Amino acid sequence: MKRKLLIFILGISGIIIIFNYNIGIPCIFFELTNLYCSGCGMTRAIKSLITFDFYQAIRYNVLIIILPLLIYSLIFDKKNKIPNWIWYLLLIIVILYGILRNIKIFNFLAPTII
């Protein structure tokens, strides 16, 4: 439990530093391939969540909606109460999202500013 709490505190501290000092985290995958990965826009989405701009957060990266599940699993899920099939389903969704957001027909999935 102490390790999970430390990870949570470090994560929150990192978010606060990024938000206060307007530091962007570049996506190495995008820099090398010019393609969006599943996580592209996540830092900006978290910044938008902090300012309660939920619509903009979803426009940056719709996978932000699984963030509460991840936080719950890191902090409270001591005995792995979340079934494995949910994790497999989330993995498939993340992979498909990463593929689809680079196809021209699905360009609305790319990180955008409203």
Side-chain angles (χ1 to χ4, degrees), residues 12 50 68 74 86 110:
I12 295 296
I50 291 172
L74 282 173
I86 292 178

Side-chain angles (χ1 to χ4, degrees), residues 3-55:
R3 182 176 173 217
K4 291 179 182 180
L5 183 61
L6 178 65
I7 291 171
F8 178 73
I9 291 172
L10 288 175
I12 295 296
S13 301
I15 290 170
I16 291 170
I17 289 169
I18 288 170
F19 183 70
N20 284 337
Y21 296 103
N22 201 16
I23 299 171
I25 300 172
C27 179
I28 295 173
F29 183 79
F30 182 77
E31 296 293 327
L32 294 175
T33 63
N34 207 25
L35 296 172
Y36 296 114
C37 70
S38 298
C40 282
M42 194 60 80
T43 305
R44 290 174 283 168
I46 291 172
K47 283 183 179 181
S48 295
L49 281 181
I50 291 172
T51 60
F52 301 105
D53 190 359
F54 300 111
Y55 183 70

